[in-house]
Amino acid sequence: MEKENKSPDYILLIVTALLLGIGIIMVFSASTIISQVQYGDSYFFLKRQTFWAFVGLLGLLLANKINYWKWEKLAVAFLILNFVFLALVFVPGLGRQVYGAYRWIQIGGINFQPTEFTKLALIIFTAAHVSKGGIVKSFTKGILPPIFFLGLSFILILRQPDMGTAVAISACIIIMLFVAGMRITHLVGFLAATVPVGLALILQSDYRRERLLSFVNPWEDHMETGYQIIQSLYALGPGGLAGVGLGQSRQKFFYLPEPHNDFIFAIIGEELGFLGASFVLILFFIFIWRGFRIAAYSPDLLGSLLAAGITSIVGIQALMNIGVVTASIPVTGINLPLVSAGGSSLFFTLTGIGILLNISKHITK
């Protein structure tokens, strides 16, 4: 392992800071009404987002200081913790139900979303397994272990239920295995086996089937299943080129569900217009470019796979979230990394970026 001899990727760091700053501003703008009505404090979500941004930045700074190869030693421990956390959401008194889903563990006044830890745990385990001698071109030795533990996690996440997150994590791990040299035949075989299962899961579940049908024609049931998509488009439409102005959103007045979370990009489009929304998109594309550049020039396979995994999960979530907001894909419940409100997401995303920044100190170009 080469010694650290470079500064971190400052372009990646600046992009992260910009997205984080935009997120804090837009969470405040999008949440003032709901914060005042629900909590009697229009600054409630602003204070919470700022707090978690601070905690997340501490995680980033710490991860940036730790040589990335040390995470390999924690891979198995993280994997075990992942399954413990995913199981705890179903324990009465610990698991917290919101909108019929058990996705949080509540300890005191802190809510923790285990799937955010799952993303990092599976990325670290997959990178460690392959780099330590897992022959990725061999199905049983290289591919099967990560796929097996991914499958177990998928089942537990699906039970919450949270199919959107399960799909995002699965796509991330497959990208990592492909980067590591996964055979095309194995990739095609995996897709051939899982896509029909995914379709069956959608069609057998009433709410998933309704989401799919509402995506095809949201105006057919505009007050129920198509409501979120339509309200999101109603937010984007009036934004025009430059937006209606920061803080001037109309859709945040209880028209658009979760304006500070899953649909915050719609508020960005409404208040900052096409230019503001495009700027956010450009920042994510730069993030993906810098992340995969780090993966390409990492001095070893472990660094390459960690960088590819962390970059992929951020990029996949961003594309899925923006796809939902623009009615390009069905509603998934995925938030916008670094921008949407959410403590667990912010902390683990920033910690992952800290690992990415540490890898960037060792790149060969």
Side-chain angles (χ1 to χ4, degrees):
M1 177 59 60
E2 295 182 8
K3 292 183 178 180
E4 243 177 59
N5 54 14
K6 293 183 179 180
S7 299
D9 188 319
Y10 284 117
I11 295 177
L12 180 70
L13 186 60
I14 291 169
V15 167
T16 299
L18 286 172
L19 286 170
L20 188 61
I22 291 169
I24 291 173
I25 293 169
M26 293 311 302
V27 164
F28 176 50
S29 178
S31 68
T32 50
I33 306 303
I34 193 172
S35 293
Q36 182 62 45
V37 172
Q38 292 187 358
Y39 301 99
D41 179 5
S42 59
Y43 296 93
F44 177 82
F45 283 106
L46 171 65
K47 289 186 285 189
R48 194 168 76 167
Q49 189 76 352
T50 303
F51 169 78
W52 282 109
F54 175 74
V55 174
L57 286 172
L58 290 179
L60 181 149
L61 292 173
L62 179 61
N64 177 53
K65 291 292 184 182
I66 298 173
N67 287 331
Y68 68 88
W69 53 266
K70 291 185 178 180
W71 294 101
E72 184 178 29
K73 300 176 182 179
L74 298 172
V76 174
F78 276 19
L79 187 67
I80 294 170
L81 274 176
N82 164 54
F83 291 115
V84 171
F85 290 149
L86 289 177
L88 285 177
V89 299
F90 303 109
V91 176
L94 284 178
R96 178 177 173 235
Q97 185 183 29
V98 178
Y99 299 128
Y102 288 91
R103 301 178 186 176
W104 290 266
I105 298 171
Q106 187 168 23
I107 303 174
I110 298 177
N111 294 316
F112 166 62
Q113 192 167 7
T115 52
E116 297 300 331
F117 179 77
T118 299
K119 296 167 188 175
L120 200 54
L122 288 180
I123 287 170
I124 291 173
F125 173 79
T126 301
H129 167 75
V130 174
S131 65
K132 273 185 4 181
I135 305 170
V136 80
K137 292 186 178 181
S138 165
F139 182 80
T140 53
K141 293 182 180 179
I143 297 174
L144 187 58
I147 293 296
F148 175 74
F149 292 117
L150 170 63
L152 289 181
S153 300
F154 189 101
I155 292 169
L156 288 171
I157 295 170
L158 201 63
R159 290 277 297 170
Q160 294 182 3
D162 189 359
M163 189 171 183
T165 298
V167 169
I169 295 172
S170 299
C172 171
I173 300 304
I174 293 303
I175 289 172
M176 290 179 68
L177 293 175
F178 186 75
V179 168
M182 182 182 190
R183 293 181 186 273
I184 294 294
T185 52
H186 290 155
L187 176 60
V188 172
F190 176 81
L191 293 175
T194 56
V195 169
V197 174
L199 290 174
L201 289 171
I202 292 172
L203 296 176
Q204 289 176 3
S205 169
D206 289 340
Y207 87 92
R208 293 192 191 108
R209 185 171 60 252
E210 288 172 355
R211 280 185 172 184
L212 180 61
L213 294 174
S214 67
F215 162 71
V216 176
N217 185 11
W219 281 270
E220 184 176 347
D221 188 10
H222 64 281
M223 292 303 295
E224 294 293 339
T225 57
Y227 183 79
Q228 290 177 308
I229 295 176
I230 291 172
Q231 295 303 320
S232 179
L233 295 176
Y234 280 165
L236 291 171
L241 182 64
V244 298
L246 185 63
Q248 301 303 309
S249 166
R250 299 176 182 88
Q251 288 301 109
K252 68 183 179 183
F253 284 84
F254 301 101
Y255 293 106
L256 180 65
E258 301 293 329
H260 57 296
N261 200 329
D262 295 353
F263 285 89
I264 195 167
F265 190 75
I267 303 298
I268 292 173
E270 183 183 14
E271 295 191 347
L272 305 181
F274 176 79
L275 294 176
S278 296
F279 182 64
V280 172
L281 271 174
I282 290 169
L283 289 177
F284 275 112
F285 280 123
I286 294 173
F287 183 99
I288 294 168
W289 161 50
R290 300 306 294 185
F292 277 111
R293 182 181 182 276
I294 293 167
Y297 293 110
S298 174
D300 58 16
L301 186 57
L302 176 66
S304 292
L305 294 180
L306 284 172
I310 293 165
T311 304
S312 294
I313 196 62
V314 173
I316 289 166
Q317 289 181 108
L319 290 175
M320 288 178 72
N321 177 273
I322 294 169
V324 168
V325 169
T326 57
S328 303
I329 63 173
V331 175
T332 59
I334 295 288
N335 65 10
L336 190 59
L338 299 171
V339 179
S340 293
S344 301
S345 173
L346 208 52
F347 174 75
F348 286 110
T349 299
L350 285 169
T351 300
I353 293 171
I355 298 174
L356 192 56
L357 288 170
N358 182 266
I359 300 169
S360 73
K361 295 178 182 180
H362 301 82
I363 64 174
T364 56
K365 183 175 179 180

